[in-house]
Amino acid sequence: DSGVTQTPKHLITATGQRVTLRCSPRSGDLSVYWYQQSLDQGLQFLIQYYNGEERAKGNILERFSAQQFPDLHSELNLSSLELGDSALYFCASRGSSETQYFGPGTRLLVL
Amino acid sequence: DQQVKQNSPSLSVQEGRISILNCDYTNSMFDYFLWYKKYPAEGPTFLISISSIKDKNEDGRFTVFLNKSAKHLSLHIVPSQPGDSAVYFCAASAWVGSSNTGKLIFGQGTTLQVKP
């Protein structure tokens, strides 16, 4: 158990819909990272938050957004969903070391 | 542009023998490297890491070697056990300017099968 929790574990929705994925980092970790793992793209960095502020962005679509709340949990919002958004979404948290610890992921299926 | 490459999609070894997983990178600004193990439908589990100022780091059965001049790192598992069967990802992070945000660039993964 990494100490990082993600909900929900599975999500099935339709094209055009909007979903919110939630992540709680390890106790004391200020940084939260979001990654997407699709079949053909591997694990891709989406976005990072540090203590409530956006710190870095990767190849995140404009339809996607995220935020980190004062209690340090983070939410990834995916809107106008397309079939190609079906993937595993992982969050990871990081403390003072360089190591990121990953949550169990949310499997999103867009039909 | 694949900055971190794992050229072997799969590897099969006998239980008790050594498993060697390889990873190449192209960005000389990478300064920290990590190996993760992943089972299907689970998140990546951190195994071992190495800073660019070192050439070797060991933790139990796992050893990571870094060859900066060749931009190559490898993970050695000795002895290999059937429970080691999983997908292994190498990842790298880099400093940008005066900070290291820590975003990881992952390789495509190598599926290791350890046969009893």
Side-chain angles (χ1 to χ4, degrees):
Chain A
D1 184 3
S2 67
V4 179
T5 61
Q6 288 187 250
T7 56
K9 193 168 178 61
H10 302 279
L11 201 48
I12 302 174
T13 188
T15 55
Q17 294 298 305
R18 181 179 190 274
V19 297
T20 297
L21 313 183
R22 182 188 169 104
C23 168
S24 292
R26 296 187 316 158
S27 178
D29 285 357
L30 300 180
S31 283
V32 171
Y33 300 76
W34 286 97
Y35 293 86
Q36 178 193 57
Q37 184 184 24
S38 53
L39 277 174
D40 58 344
Q41 292 291 325
L43 275 155
Q44 299 283 321
F45 167 73
L46 294 177
I47 197 164
Q48 178 209 1
Y49 277 81
Y50 176 82
N51 201 19
E53 294 187 0
E54 182 185 304
R55 181 63 70 90
K57 258 185 173 180
N59 297 325
I60 187 167
L61 299 172
E62 285 192 10
R63 300 183 286 108
F64 296 0
S65 64
Q67 52 185 326
Q68 186 179 26
F69 295 86
D71 67 352
L72 300 178
H73 92 270
S74 178
E75 293 180 356
L76 179 66
N77 301 296
L78 315 177
S79 61
S80 304
L81 285 167
E82 302 175 0
L83 296 177
D85 297 327
S86 295
L88 273 166
Y89 292 84
F90 293 104
C91 82
S93 77
R94 175 189 174 204
S96 56
S97 77
E98 301 274 356
T99 302
Q100 293 181 31
Y101 295 90
F102 283 77
T106 294
R107 181 176 292 276
L108 173 66
L109 180 59
V110 182
L111 300 176
Chain B
D1 178 27
Q2 191 69 23
Q3 297 187 69
V4 178
K5 297 180 184 179
Q6 294 175 257
N7 291 317
S8 297
S10 63
L11 175 67
S12 181
V13 300
Q14 209 64 37
E15 180 180 6
R17 305 295 292 269
I18 184 171
S19 296
I20 300 176
L21 297 100
N22 293 304
C23 181
D24 297 297
Y25 62 95
T26 57
N27 189 340
S28 59
M29 298 301 292
F30 288 147
D31 68 336
Y32 197 77
F33 303 88
L34 308 91
W35 283 95
Y36 287 87
K37 174 182 179 180
K38 187 179 181 305
Y39 295 113
E42 292 186 13
T45 300
F46 170 71
L47 276 176
I48 192 169
S49 61
I50 188 166
S51 165
S52 61
I53 62 173
K54 295 185 175 181
D55 55 16
K56 177 182 174 181
N57 189 25
E58 191 172 355
D59 184 2
R61 296 186 298 115
F62 302 92
T63 303
V64 56
F65 295 93
L66 175 62
N67 183 333
K68 284 186 66 178
S69 60
K71 294 191 179 66
H72 176 84
L73 65 155
S74 60
L75 174 68
H76 293 209
I77 306 174
V78 184
S80 301
Q81 300 172 354
D84 295 330
S85 299
V87 180
Y88 288 78
F89 291 93
C90 70
S93 69
W95 283 79
V96 178
S98 61
S99 66
N100 185 339
T101 67
K103 72 173 189 180
L104 297 178
I105 308 298
F106 282 86
Q108 293 296 95
T110 296
T111 300
L112 173 65
Q113 182 185 27
V114 180
K115 298 179 179 178

